[in-house]
Amino acid sequence: MQFTLMGIGKFLPMEGIDRLGMAALRNQITRIFCALICVLILPALSACSFRPKPTSQKPGPSSPSEPNSVPTESPIIPSPSPSVSPGPPAPKPPPEALKIDGPKQLTVGQCGIYTVSTVNPAGETSPVTERVYLTLGTPASGVIGAFYLSGSCTGPEATETSLNPGGSSTIFSFRTYVPFNGQLDATARNPFSGPSGPIHLKAGKLGIQFTAGPPSEWVLSGPTSGLTSTCLGPFFAAPRDIYGNPANLLKPYDGTISLPAGATSYSDEFCSQPVSQVHVSQGSGPFRFYVRTQNQEAESYAIVSPLSVRGELIVRTHPACKPVAFKNQLSDTFQLNSKEATTLSSFGTDALGRVYWVGTGYSKKSSSLIIRRSNSGRAGTWSTVDTAQVEAGYDTQGVGFARDGQGNLTVLANARLSTSRKAWTQSIRRSAVGKTVGDSGGWDFAKGGFPYRWQSSAALDTQATSVFWDSLGRWVVRTIGMDLDFSRRLILRIGTPLWENWGTLLNLPPSSGLSQEDFSGLGPSSQSMISDLDGDLWTVLSSQDAKGKYRWMVIEVSSSTGAYKVVDNSDNWPAGLRDQISGARTLTMAPDGTIYVAGYIGPSTGQHEWLVRKTSDQGKTWDTIDQFAPMTVGSGPLSADPAAILVDRSGRIVVAGQAKLTPADQPTAIVRTSVTAAPGSFATEATFTVEKGNYSAATALGQDDLGNIYVGGYGQTKKGQKAFVSFTSCQ
């Protein structure tokens, strides 16, 4: 009988097994078993060869020549070839840049969802080894919107995010309600450790475009008051999308100008070419027209067309009058809390011709918005119609007042909230929607609430300075944001009529060199923005240069793109003027388009002269028409700071502010006027003091639909600080 040992390759007779004994058999089996393990079970081993021990034999004759002899050492099985394992994958090169992916073409109001990733030179995603903080943004100027860290444009706005160690991407979303053709940026704020040292990621950029939506309604804008029998305007008519933007017109749109009896529309500023039809097409801009009316009442101008909503504007017209000179008399003094301060910031009117002022009343623990109203402006006719706080128990300061073309009222405020006690948040309080010009019941601010609140995530503080309804039918809010390093940025926000949707038209960071603002003296004015005859926005600044010197700055901003240009800069003034500190604080526009700017200039802080400049050619040339220093003592003039300027119905220029007239006196509220606007023609018309021997300051000017003029401010008394109003009629 024979027995086969698999893998040996030969037959061994039973007698051989007897002679070899069990030791030899075990050796053979072990060799076979190890070979199987090497080939099938341990492929990662580099080799699995071995040499077995020699077998021991029983005593007796044993010779290679004998037929049944067995060698003293068994044959060696060759070792299998070494098996090479693939091992772990080779590591990717470290990232070198950020990359943004997401939609590039959207319509305003849509939410774009984006991913920012870290990529290596091959374009592959590659993780960071440490936490990397990212800043999201858009170019320094131009229309921008809001960033969110969610994937649905919900939650708080945020421009700061981060990548976790071992991570290579994160998501964010972006939305704007105004047309935008630019780019999104993602910038790494800190390096991380790489194989050869710190790695500074290159910024990621993605070009995007938000286009306007289709036409939804006509918007009609322009002056809301004027003189009977004069050529009023210009008025602007344009189809808008649902967010108030100039619509994306796929075809021309037509409309009919609807005016009351006694009023006629014209195509030219001289009211010589009648026109009744409105025609606009893509790229043509708003349709411009003028109106002459014989009526002496509030009347409605409208654009009627197949669009679902017609544009309407309420205009109040009155006969011409001659203003009476200011007298040193006050028609209203008010203090919200005894022994505490009350200030006045802005004037405004409603569609019924009533006058309002907005201010702030302080208490020991907080402050409140104040709104007071008068039917005639005269003494004894003023009453408080609203006091409010955005959040009970926290500061709220009244800043500005404005009226839209349909007569809705808006009050601008700054507030501190429980969620950010040390930072200001701008807020809006508006009248209840739906009030009409014929409503005699008054305006209910309480029901309007505070529907809009906003704080720039890139700034520590967000303090609004003024609000107005521009010639294109939008709300515009001017804001100064204070960054973490206490530098300041200028921000212009634009909103739809009912404050539902918002975008940022301009955001000048501190690095632009144009965004700082001097808060010394009387600080920012509530009358610091206008729309020119082309619908573009103008604003003023006291901008700090690289050496820390404040300088006069006037900026024109495109109402459609947010592009800006500096139209007056004290750096370009003659020697002797450009070397001094200066700042533009307030501006206004006359019906003929002439723009007047008032501010200060002086050798140092606290030694300011009063300065008024004008341009009649859109900022190409400027003339200084008033440089007022009460008197000179020692090395410089006593301080004089204008805060507000307007042109009244007769064409007279009125400027109000504060001046220290003699070394012994406290600063007092002052009004200077000029009929001709010629250099040297200004004269001090009135001064106001709430209490003799204490300081006073004029901070605002207003004009009602009848042409009456109001100057307001605040003054110190023995029982605290009071707000005041002085009134002069137009007869």
Side-chain angles (χ1 to χ4, degrees):
M1 178 178 180
Q2 291 184 326
F3 179 78
T4 303
L5 292 177
M6 300 298 296
I8 300 298
K10 62 191 303 183
F11 295 103
L12 295 178
M14 290 299 293
E15 309 87 273
I17 295 177
D18 292 339
R19 287 197 302 267
L20 290 173
M22 293 303 294
L25 180 60
R26 284 196 300 269
N27 188 46
Q28 295 281 32
I29 294 172
T30 301
R31 291 167 58 194
I32 296 170
F33 181 70
C34 289
L36 291 173
I37 291 176
C38 291
V39 174
L40 301 177
I41 301 177
L42 300 175
L45 297 177
S46 61
C48 196
S49 63
F50 63 91
R51 185 178 295 274
K53 296 180 180 179
T55 56
S56 58
Q57 300 181 8
K58 291 183 178 181
S62 178
S63 169
S65 62
E66 295 182 5
N68 294 323
S69 65
V70 178
T72 59
E73 187 172 322
S74 302
I76 299 173
I77 299 175
S79 301
S81 300
S83 176
V84 179
S85 169
K92 294 180 180 179
E96 67 169 8
L98 295 170
K99 181 184 179 184
I100 303 176
D101 294 298
K104 298 181 179 180
Q105 296 282 340
L106 300 101
T107 302
V108 292
Q110 287 184 317
C111 179
I113 303 172
Y114 299 89
T115 301
V116 56
S117 308
T118 51
V119 295
N120 60 27
E124 304 169 313
T125 58
S126 185
V128 296
T129 59
E130 302 170 18
R131 184 179 295 276
V132 176
Y133 293 92
L134 307 179
T135 297
L136 307 173
T138 57
S141 64
V143 178
I144 66 171
F147 290 88
Y148 305 86
L149 301 188
S150 67
S152 56
C153 293
T154 57
E157 296 182 22
T159 58
E160 304 293 330
T161 186
S162 65
L163 295 169
N164 294 323
S168 59
S169 66
T170 186
I171 64 168
F172 68 90
S173 52
F174 176 82
R175 176 161 55 197
T176 180
Y177 295 102
V178 290
F180 174 42
N181 187 4
Q183 69 183 34
L184 300 178
D185 297 338
T187 306
R189 291 168 47 194
N190 63 286
F192 66 95
S193 299
S196 303
I199 296 178
H200 297 264
L201 293 171
K202 299 176 184 177
K205 303 179 185 296
L206 179 69
I208 62 171
Q209 183 177 21
F210 281 78
T211 57
S216 172
E217 62 179 355
W218 282 94
V219 171
L220 180 58
S221 58
T224 56
S225 64
L227 298 178
T228 300
S229 301
T230 62
C231 196
L232 303 178
F235 296 94
F236 297 92
R240 299 298 175 113
D241 65 16
I242 61 173
Y243 300 114
N245 302 300
N248 187 12
L249 301 179
L250 301 180
K251 62 178 183 178
Y253 276 78
D254 298 316
T256 301
I257 303 173
S258 175
L259 302 175
T264 305
S265 53
Y266 300 86
S267 62
D268 63 305
E269 60 189 287
F270 305 105
C271 288
S272 62
Q273 302 292 326
V275 64
S276 60
Q277 296 297 309
V278 174
H279 178 82
V280 293
S281 58
Q282 186 70 26
S284 67
F287 184 86
R288 180 185 299 195
F289 66 95
Y290 298 79
V291 174
R292 176 180 281 127
T293 180
Q294 305 301 320
N295 303 320
Q296 300 181 19
E297 58 188 15
E299 52 190 23
S300 174
Y301 302 167
I303 303 297
V304 181
S305 81
L307 289 179
S308 59
V309 181
R310 73 176 193 169
E312 188 172 11
L313 183 70
I314 298 171
V315 182
R316 293 177 63 86
T317 54
H318 301 278
C321 60
K322 180 178 292 187
V324 176
F326 278 99
K327 297 179 180 179
N328 300 339
Q329 296 177 351
L330 305 181
S331 65
D332 187 30
T333 59
F334 179 74
Q335 187 176 29
L336 183 63
N337 296 302
S338 178
K339 298 183 180 181
E340 302 294 336
T342 299
T343 62
L344 185 151
S345 299
S346 182
F347 286 103
T349 61
D350 66 17
L352 299 178
R354 296 173 296 192
V355 184
Y356 296 76
W357 68 257
V358 172
T360 305
Y362 293 84
S363 67
K364 293 182 179 180
K365 294 184 178 181
S366 62
S367 58
S368 300
L369 162 72
I370 301 171
I371 305 174
R372 282 175 66 81
R373 182 177 67 199
S374 172
N375 292 326
S376 67
R378 292 176 170 81
T381 64
W382 292 91
S383 62
T384 301
V385 295
D386 192 21
T387 59
Q389 292 180 324
V390 175
E391 185 172 346
Y394 294 90
D395 287 326
T396 298
Q397 297 179 349
V399 176
F401 187 102
R403 181 179 98 200
D404 69 13
Q406 288 69 50
N408 298 306
L409 306 180
T410 282
V411 173
L412 179 66
N414 292 317
R416 297 189 192 275
L417 307 177
S418 58
T419 54
S420 54
R421 300 183 184 185
K422 295 183 179 180
W424 289 102
T425 298
Q426 64 185 41
S427 305
I428 290 297
R429 188 164 179 81
R430 58 172 167 78
S431 61
V433 180
K435 301 293 183 178
T436 65
V437 67
D439 177 20
S440 60
W443 298 87
D444 189 344
F445 284 93
K447 291 182 180 179
F450 289 94
Y452 162 78
R453 303 176 189 179
W454 184 74
Q455 184 179 31
S456 170
S457 60
L460 177 66
D461 262 347
T462 307
Q463 287 187 267
T465 63
S466 52
V467 59
F468 83 115
W469 179 253
D470 75 357
S471 61
L472 298 183
R474 304 174 301 184
W475 293 111
V476 183
V477 175
R478 181 184 184 274
T479 297
I480 295 295
M482 180 180 288
D483 286 8
L484 296 176
D485 61 357
F486 301 105
S487 57
R488 297 185 177 99
R489 61 177 62 224
L490 173 65
I491 305 169
L492 297 184
R493 297 272 288 173
I494 54 177
T496 51
L498 297 182
W499 302 97
E500 316 97 315
N501 302 300
W502 277 89
T504 301
L505 182 66
L506 180 72
N507 189 341
L508 284 177
S511 59
S512 69
L514 303 177
S515 58
Q516 300 288 343
E517 186 156 53
D518 184 5
F519 277 72
S520 66
L522 297 180
S525 170
S526 63
Q527 297 167 257
S528 53
M529 284 192 304
I530 60 168
S531 279
D532 64 17
L533 294 180
D534 295 324
D536 289 331
L537 308 176
W538 289 51
T539 189
V540 290
L541 277 172
S542 180
S543 176
Q544 199 172 26
D545 65 16
K547 296 181 179 180
K549 178 175 72 71
Y550 282 103
R551 56 198 173 154
W552 180 290
M553 198 76 65
V554 182
I555 300 173
E556 181 183 2
V557 182
S558 168
S559 60
S560 58
T561 68
Y564 71 91
K565 62 180 179 180
V566 179
V567 293
D568 194 19
N569 183 351
S570 57
D571 289 346
N572 301 324
W573 292 357
L577 292 179
R578 65 170 175 257
D579 300 327
Q580 302 186 65
I581 64 170
S582 59
R585 282 213 171 116
T586 179
L587 76 169
T588 192
M589 187 179 69
D592 64 357
T594 299
I595 295 173
Y596 298 89
V597 181
Y600 69 89
I601 186 171
S604 64
T605 301
Q607 291 185 324
H608 295 165
E609 293 184 52
W610 185 297
L611 194 68
V612 181
R613 288 168 63 82
K614 78 165 185 175
T615 178
S616 300
D617 55 9
Q618 292 294 98
K620 296 181 178 66
T621 59
W622 290 84
D623 298 310
T624 297
I625 58 177
D626 191 25
Q627 188 169 350
F628 166 61
M631 62 180 297
T632 300
V633 177
S635 61
L638 298 174
S639 181
D641 291 288
I645 186 171
L646 63 76
V647 178
D648 69 15
R649 292 283 173 75
S650 68
R652 180 180 64 162
I653 302 107
V654 182
V655 188
Q658 181 190 64
K660 185 175 173 65
L661 300 178
T662 70
D665 292 336
Q666 292 287 333
T668 187
I670 184 173
V671 173
R672 288 175 62 79
T673 62
S674 171
V675 175
T676 65
S681 63
F682 277 84
T684 299
E685 188 169 298
T687 60
F688 309 95
T689 301
V690 176
E691 184 175 272
K692 187 176 181 180
N694 283 312
Y695 73 84
S696 296
T699 55
L701 285 168
Q703 182 173 212
D704 65 19
D705 295 337
L706 296 173
N708 302 317
I709 307 297
Y710 302 82
V711 59
Y714 56 84
Q716 185 68 27
T717 72
K718 295 177 182 178
K719 296 183 179 181
Q721 184 175 286
K722 293 184 177 182
F724 76 83
V725 176
S726 183
F727 158 83
T728 183
S729 61
C730 189
Q731 300 176 352

